Amino acid sequence: MSEQPYGVEVAFRTTSGRVQGRGPVDGVTAVLGIPYAAAPFGARRFREPQPAPAWAGVRDCTAFGPIAPQSAELPGAPVWRAGDEDILTVNVWVPERADDGALPVFFWIHGGAYTFGSSAQPDFDGTALARAGLVVVTCNYRVGFEGFGHVPGRPDNRGLLDQAAALRWVRENIASFGGDPDDVTVAGHSAGAGSVACLMTMERTRGLFRRAIAHSVPNAFFTVGLAAAVTERIAAEAGVAPTPEGLLSVPPAELVAASDKAAANCGADPVAAIHAFDSVIFQPVVDGEVLSADPLRAVASGTAREVDLLVCHTLEEYWFLHTVGAVREVTTESELADFAEALHLPADLVDGYRTLMPDAPVLDRYLAIFGDAQFGEYTTRLAEHHARAGGRAYLARFARRRGEARPWHTADVPFAFGNLDAVGADFLIGGAPDDHDRALSRRMLHSWAGFAAGGDPGWPAVTAGTTPVKSWAVPGDHLAADDASGLRALWRDVRFDLLRPAQAAGPRSPGLSGA
């Protein structure tokens, strides 16, 4: 985004009242912090989102709204402060255009392990995508316990319900911003991509979007039993009973602190063995109501075949999470065996990585297996199952590297958004961008825009029998016939519904072979 000050003020009409944006700058007007639902606290805490109250006059929407309760402090982004309650807001970037025709809509869901993050992060600025001919919408939603903690008698997946409410806001209001409510693409990365996969299969979001983009979809879903076990641990840290009354008595700030303690301590006495290696304790819950099944299973059954799908993952996802200290370090064969047991990985798969990576240290093999299990293979299989079920799907892999910055988790996002100069992007991409990086960014942004506008990212779709893969790289990209390294063959017969924490999870269902 240009650093020149915003100038002319522009007002738009919504169902709750008029809003005033800022701009245009560089041909784009930004309208920030528009409430799409009421503040989810007080009597509305731990409940489904409720309609935003109306206002009189013109609401000043020239700054991002407050973010959801969390302890994270991210580069260039606001932090949550106790008392911030109007957290359910959307932001809209509106491009200037020569005619009155409605534009495709790009709806972005931020990631953050279902625990942190916001739409105000600098790398999610929608200016460049708007200049490419899209009306861009980003949203805040409840994260952590407020959004994904299990509360008996209250709806699970409140964060997903928030996202669904934001999509309904788009359906009802986006025409006022020049967008086409019948031409919406929902997109996200990491937890945002997992959310996209869930939204594709949820009955209450059917018809609210026609395309989906999902980067680094996590293999991360809880049963109700495991979600309840996590709640018990958090309630114990907070010193209350794991009941609605007990949990409601804990202020949001204290519940965030209790959740952080539970995550930090779960390695020593884990709710599930996998938490000893990765302490993400909030995930969508397969509750049979909001989310009827793991999205991979649902997509394989054809539930979302009417939605066009574009997925991407990075080649070395978990190296980033290791670098920022988000996963346990594994450096011995014994520790690797413990990890494989915790994740229910077959022994021949672990042996296969050793054969294909004979000179790699244990840490590299561990990170490769973890990254493929949690992101790479799951993302790829989502595209393949969607295609086999009659949907249209496209697959890409991000392979660009520079120095210590590998093609790791999150590195692809500033490229696709066209925000290589955003605060914090230099760490993700390994320094200041060069001409090759900027060219790659233009190609990736053009792919997103092309898919959102017409369903074609620029390369062949996955079919029932073939998996063409676009590899994003510098100095140039290439198209390949899936993975030639042999790693994917190791996963051929691995069922993802069995790669689940077992403790407190209840019996496993038979599932789909290979799902």
Side-chain angles (χ1 to χ4, degrees):
M1 179 179 290
S2 170
E3 294 184 0
Q4 61 182 309
Y6 282 91
V8 180
E9 296 177 345
V10 179
F12 301 87
R13 189 174 300 279
T14 76
T15 51
S16 295
R18 291 197 299 159
V19 293
Q20 175 183 287
R22 58 185 193 184
V25 169
D26 294 339
V28 176
T29 296
V31 193
L32 309 175
I34 311 169
Y36 67 84
F41 297 102
R44 292 184 289 270
R45 195 177 182 199
F46 304 146
R47 296 190 180 276
E48 290 202 29
Q50 299 300 308
W55 56 83
V58 179
R59 187 184 183 103
D60 186 337
C61 289
T62 55
F64 290 106
I67 70 174
Q70 59 188 272
S71 59
E73 297 184 10
L74 302 175
V79 298
W80 178 75
R81 303 189 188 282
D84 289 347
E85 293 196 345
D86 241 342
I87 60 173
L88 300 183
T89 61
V90 293
N91 317 294
V92 187
W93 283 264
V94 183
E96 292 181 309
R97 56 195 189 280
D99 56 53
D100 294 329
L103 297 175
V105 180
F106 180 91
F107 180 94
W108 177 256
I109 303 172
H110 71 78
Y114 301 102
T115 305
F116 61 89
S118 79
S119 62
Q121 291 168 232
D123 45 340
F124 304 152
D125 183 279
T127 301
L129 281 168
R131 284 202 301 265
L134 306 176
V135 174
V136 179
V137 182
T138 65
C139 78
N140 283 351
Y141 57 96
R142 282 173 284 183
V143 297
F145 196 92
E146 300 293 332
F148 293 93
H150 175 76
V151 180
R154 302 295 172 89
D156 286 315
N157 302 304
R158 295 176 296 278
L160 297 179
L161 293 173
D162 291 345
Q163 296 161 14
L167 281 166
R168 287 194 295 273
W169 182 94
V170 168
R171 165 70 66 177
E172 296 169 359
N173 293 280
I174 206 63
S176 297
F177 298 83
D180 185 347
D182 294 318
D183 195 5
V184 176
T185 295
V186 62
H189 167 264
S190 195
S195 297
V196 168
C198 292
L199 293 168
M200 286 176 63
T201 67
M202 287 165 49
E203 187 60 36
R204 66 184 66 203
T205 57
R206 195 159 305 282
L208 294 180
F209 56 93
R210 63 189 299 182
R211 300 184 186 95
I213 298 174
H215 278 227
S216 300
V217 187
N219 173 29
F221 305 94
F222 280 167
T223 63
V224 173
L226 185 51
V230 171
T231 290
E232 290 177 4
R233 181 164 298 279
I234 293 170
E237 293 285 357
V240 299
T243 62
E245 296 75 19
L247 295 163
L248 281 167
S249 72
V250 185
E254 294 180 22
L255 199 51
V256 168
S259 299
D260 288 348
K261 288 180 182 177
N265 295 333
C266 67
D269 183 19
V271 172
I274 188 58
H275 287 155
F277 298 88
D278 188 342
S279 58
V280 174
I281 60 171
F282 296 113
Q283 299 177 10
V285 181
V286 181
D287 61 347
E289 296 180 14
V290 176
L291 189 62
S292 60
D294 177 330
L296 188 61
R297 182 192 309 279
V299 164
S301 70
T303 297
R305 65 167 59 94
E306 74 281 1
V307 177
D308 295 342
L309 176 64
L310 168 61
V311 299
C312 178
H313 70 88
T314 67
L315 288 185
E316 300 179 5
E317 297 272 3
Y318 255 64
W319 270 262
F320 172 78
L321 299 173
H322 174 259
T323 298
V324 300
V327 293
R328 173 177 158 186
E329 188 162 293
V330 166
T331 58
T332 69
E333 295 290 352
S334 176
E335 290 173 332
L336 184 61
D338 290 342
F339 160 74
E341 181 179 359
L343 203 62
H344 307 294
L345 294 171
D348 59 347
L349 183 142
V350 179
D351 292 340
Y353 273 79
R354 184 182 295 109
T355 299
L356 292 172
M357 303 171 66
D359 300 320
V362 171
L363 177 62
D364 282 10
R365 280 188 276 124
Y366 159 70
L367 294 174
I369 295 171
F370 215 165
D372 289 342
Q374 295 294 85
F375 293 110
E377 178 63 20
Y378 190 87
T379 299
T380 301
R381 203 172 290 193
L382 192 70
E384 291 176 332
H385 283 8
H386 190 58
R388 290 169 188 162
R392 186 163 59 164
Y394 299 88
L395 173 64
R397 296 190 176 115
F398 185 77
R400 178 263 188 199
R401 65 172 63 238
R402 180 203 287 178
E404 304 245 344
R406 296 169 177 263
W408 56 22
H409 195 66
T410 308
D412 49 337
V413 174
F415 281 91
F417 261 95
N419 290 332
L420 297 181
D421 298 306
V423 175
D426 56 342
F427 171 69
L428 295 176
I429 69 175
D434 59 21
D435 289 343
H436 288 304
D437 293 331
R438 294 193 187 281
L440 173 59
S441 179
R442 288 191 294 271
R443 296 194 300 272
M444 292 183 68
L445 188 149
H446 179 75
S447 169
W448 269 14
F451 181 77
D456 184 3
W459 63 89
V462 176
T463 70
T466 64
T467 305
V469 184
K470 177 76 165 183
S471 181
W472 298 115
V474 294
D477 316 319
H478 64 271
L479 188 69
D482 204 357
D483 172 32
S485 71
L487 290 176
R488 285 216 66 213
L490 300 176
W491 292 93
R492 183 172 296 118
D493 297 322
V494 175
R495 282 175 47 179
F496 273 85
D497 59 326
L498 301 186
L499 303 188
R500 290 284 183 269
Q503 186 170 326
R508 295 191 183 102
S509 56
L512 291 163
S513 177

